[in-house]
Amino acid sequence: EVQLVQSGAEVKKPGESLKISCKGSGYSFANYWVGWVRQMPGRGLEWMGVIYPGDSDTRYSPSFQGQVTMSVDNSITTAYLHWSSLKASDTALYYCARQYGRNFDAWGEGALVTVSS
Amino acid sequence: QSALTQPASVSGSPGQSITISCTGTSSDVGGYNSVSWYQQRPGRAPKVVIYDVVIRPSGVSSRFSGSRSGNTASLTISGLQTEDEGDYYCGSYVDSTTIFGGGTKVTVL
């Protein structure tokens, strides 16, 4: 069974750094793009970008380019989303998802990030 | 690229059929067979119910069907059930990027 297990909820202050994780299992992790999707409170889905674990090729949405960094560690089949300096506007639920063809066929449960002073 | 346009809400009675539209342009929805639909029940992660415009994943009810006309894709839910309540998002994959629609809240009356 394909599974994506995300790290838990985080509460951070503005200016702090954060890395959240997404561990894939049940499939060949290196061979499928992993996407990240933001959902702000009460709002819709926003595509942030994707990373290909096989060679770490990344594609970012223009809205998120320079704001976050995607990375992977194939040895532990885990993808990461990193912020170097959080803002209050980064408060949201973040999903990782496996891209299968042209859609996202498996999703993590989401990681809630709260940024507040 | 702008978000795809969906109605904010659609409602129907149990047993009825409803249709959710997703309007884009010839550069996304109308130009590629790569529209997908996601169901998000309250407090849950999204789940794909249709991909590549018309294909229903294994395990998804046959009450869900997809279609497209020009630059508008549609998701039809027939025989509406209370378990169908939630938010529905369309997505269009173009050149390694995905654009989502703004989402439609489905209410079963």
Side-chain angles (χ1 to χ4, degrees), chain B residues 4 7 13 17 34 42 44 54 56-57 60 71 83 90 94 98:
Chain B
L4 307 176
S13 300
S17 292
S34 57
R44 303 292 297 275
V54 297
R56 191 172 56 248
V60 172
N71 297 333
E83 66 195 47
C90 61
V94 180
T98 295

Side-chain angles (χ1 to χ4, degrees), chain A residues 29-50:
Chain A
F29 182 77
N31 293 338
Y32 293 86
W33 293 82
V34 174
W36 289 93
V37 176
R38 183 175 78 174
Q39 188 166 39
M40 299 178 78
R43 306 297 293 273
L45 306 178
E46 297 175 87
W47 183 83
M48 301 176 71
V50 289

Side-chain angles (χ1 to χ4, degrees), chain A residues 33 37 39 43-47 50 59-60 93 95 99-110, chain B residues 32-34 36 38 40 43-48 50-52 89 93 95-102:
Chain A
W33 293 82
V37 176
Q39 188 166 39
R43 306 297 293 273
L45 306 178
E46 297 175 87
W47 183 83
V50 289
R59 312 290 168 87
Y60 291 96
L93 188 57
Y95 291 102
Q99 184 169 305
Y100 184 81
R102 298 173 289 198
N103 74 96
F104 293 111
D105 72 329
W107 293 67
E109 69 273 31
Chain B
Y32 304 88
N33 293 328
S34 57
S36 49
Y38 301 89
Q40 186 178 33
R44 303 292 297 275
K47 167 192 168 185
V48 62
I50 293 288
Y51 67 94
D52 290 354
Y89 298 89
Y93 173 88
D95 293 336
S96 301
T97 67
T98 295
I99 317 165
F100 287 111

Side-chain angles (χ1 to χ4, degrees), chain B residues 1-98:
Chain B
Q1 288 169 316
S2 302
L4 307 176
T5 301
Q6 298 182 233
S9 63
V10 173
S11 61
S13 300
Q16 285 188 327
S17 292
I18 61 169
T19 297
I20 304 167
S21 61
C22 170
T23 301
T25 69
S26 58
S27 297
D28 40 63
V29 171
Y32 304 88
N33 293 328
S34 57
V35 175
S36 49
W37 289 92
Y38 301 89
Q39 174 195 61
Q40 186 178 33
R41 291 187 173 122
R44 303 292 297 275
K47 167 192 168 185
V48 62
V49 293
I50 293 288
Y51 67 94
D52 290 354
V53 183
V54 297
I55 300 177
R56 191 172 56 248
S58 172
V60 172
S61 171
S62 59
R63 299 183 297 103
F64 291 87
S65 62
S67 63
R68 182 183 57 192
S69 177
N71 297 333
T72 298
S74 298
L75 174 71
T76 297
I77 309 175
S78 58
L80 199 61
Q81 299 180 2
T82 55
E83 66 195 47
D84 299 329
E85 280 201 335
D87 296 318
Y88 289 78
Y89 298 89
C90 61
S92 178
Y93 173 88
V94 180
D95 293 336
S96 301
T97 67
T98 295

